């Protein structure tokens, strides 16, 4: 499905996840394996190429070491609370609870719970700011914008990125 809105509606209508709250948005094109181990609450948005890992396959290695000792696949749940944004190319590991009122920055690896009201980033993800500060910054920026256009965007970009002249010897 090309449209993220169509994809989101399909996922919700077919109860693909363990549960989904109101105002849910899911942009990734790949539906997580074992999606029934993932719960989303209200007002959550997941950007493109986010990976949810609900199990490992370590047993594939361990079970070939000694046929007398066999390991089972290990599963874990992921819960995303209210008002959460998960940025593109992030990976969320099992056993993690995110939020409420949290932002996972693009490219993050979330290996442990994300505290309420926080912004996390990095590999592994760590707290870098607060949800409230980011929210207020975006509101203030939005008030100063007349309208969105590519020309205005490029004008702002060029203003903020002065050319650097590199001298060669």
């Amino acid at each position: 499905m090309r449209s993220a809105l169509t994809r989101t509606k399909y996922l919700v209508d077919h109860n693909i996840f363990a549960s989904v709250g109101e105002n849910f948005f899911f942009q990734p094109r790949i539906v997580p394996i074992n999606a029934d181990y993932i719960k989303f609450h209200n007002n959550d948005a997941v950007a493109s190429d986010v990976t949810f890992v609900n199990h490992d396959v370590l047993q594939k290695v361990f079970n070939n070491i000694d046929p007398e000792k066999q390991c089972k696949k290990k599963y874990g749940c992921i819960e995303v609370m209210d008002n959460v944004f998960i940025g593109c190319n992030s990976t969320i590991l099992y056993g993690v609870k995110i939020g409420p009122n949290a932002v996972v920055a693009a490219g993050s690896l979330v290996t442990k719970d994300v505290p309420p009201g926080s912004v996390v980033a990095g590999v592994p993800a760590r707290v870098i700011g607060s949800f409230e500060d980011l929210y207020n910054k975006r509101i203030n920026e939005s008030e100063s914008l007349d309208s969105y256009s590519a020309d205005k965007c490029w004008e702002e970009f060029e203003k903020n990125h002065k050319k650097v002249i590199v001298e060669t010897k």
Side-chain angles (χ1 to χ4, degrees), residues 12-137:
V12 171
D13 289 349
H14 289 84
N15 298 312
I16 302 299
F17 295 104
S19 65
V20 173
E22 298 293 320
N23 300 316
F24 173 65
F25 179 76
F26 192 83
Q27 193 172 25
R29 292 185 179 271
I30 299 173
V31 176
I33 296 173
N34 304 111
D36 54 331
Y37 285 73
I38 304 170
K39 287 184 180 181
F40 292 97
H41 289 258
N42 298 311
N43 200 32
D44 294 331
V46 181
S48 62
D49 297 324
V50 172
T51 302
F52 293 88
V53 179
N54 295 95
H55 63 78
D56 62 27
V57 291
L58 193 55
Q59 81 283 355
K60 295 289 188 187
V61 173
F62 288 165
N63 290 346
N64 290 317
I65 294 172
D66 182 350
E68 300 295 319
K69 298 177 183 174
Q70 295 294 293
C71 297
K72 292 182 179 177
K73 188 185 289 185
K74 185 174 181 181
Y75 289 89
C77 296
I78 297 170
E79 187 169 19
V80 180
M81 304 307 287
D82 292 342
N83 306 317
V84 171
F85 172 76
I86 302 174
C88 66
N89 295 312
S90 293
T91 299
I92 315 300
L93 298 185
Y94 61 80
V96 166
K97 187 176 202 173
I98 300 175
N101 301 326
V103 173
V104 175
S108 297
L109 172 62
V110 181
T111 61
K112 60 184 180 179
D113 290 356
V114 174
S118 65
V119 176
V120 300
V123 177
R126 62 180 176 76
V127 175
I128 63 165
S130 81
F131 182 90
E132 185 176 357
D133 289 347
L134 180 58
Y135 174 76
N136 289 330
K137 179 182 177 188

Side-chain angles (χ1 to χ4, degrees), residues 142-161:
S142 295
E143 290 171 356
S144 67
L145 296 175
D146 296 329
S147 64
Y148 180 81
S149 72
D151 290 338
K152 186 170 178 103
C153 185
W154 279 112
E155 180 182 311
E156 187 70 21
F157 180 86
E158 290 169 359
K159 184 175 90 176
N160 291 325
H161 294 82

